[in-house]
Amino acid sequence: MGIGMAGLINTLNPEKIILGGPVSMAGEHLMPFVLESVRRHSLQEMAAQTEIQFSAFGADASVIGAAAVVVDDILTNRRKSRRR
């Protein structure tokens, strides 16, 4: 996981990486190992500027995100019904 995030950091230079889903439930135990791996495999300046955290939504993060996409689409692409 840390190597993958290091690749993202080196390529995209994101401000923040948020990990969700089932992995976030073990976040407290995984974080030291993930951060060490990111440190070893990424450019130090970019890694220092990237905040890595686990989602507060826990295992439901994926479901909540999918629902948010659907709701956003409904609200932004409403079609006005026409009367004939």
Side-chain angles (χ1 to χ4, degrees), residues 12-40:
L12 302 174
N13 193 20
E15 290 181 28
K16 184 181 288 190
I17 296 175
I18 300 174
L19 301 170
V23 161
S24 66
M25 299 199 53
E28 195 174 301
H29 304 289
L30 288 177
M31 188 60 89
F33 302 106
V34 170
L35 293 176
E36 174 61 23
S37 182
V38 167
R39 187 192 64 73
R40 282 187 288 134

Side-chain angles (χ1 to χ4, degrees), residues 13-73:
N13 193 20
E15 290 181 28
K16 184 181 288 190
I17 296 175
I18 300 174
L19 301 170
V23 161
S24 66
M25 299 199 53
E28 195 174 301
H29 304 289
L30 288 177
M31 188 60 89
F33 302 106
V34 170
L35 293 176
E36 174 61 23
S37 182
V38 167
R39 187 192 64 73
R40 282 187 288 134
H41 295 96
S42 63
L43 300 171
Q44 290 182 10
E45 282 186 36
M46 289 182 170
Q49 297 172 6
T50 303
E51 182 182 349
I52 300 171
Q53 66 184 55
F54 289 94
S55 171
F57 297 117
D60 295 332
S62 300
V63 175
I64 293 169
V69 170
V70 172
V71 170
D72 181 62
D73 186 57

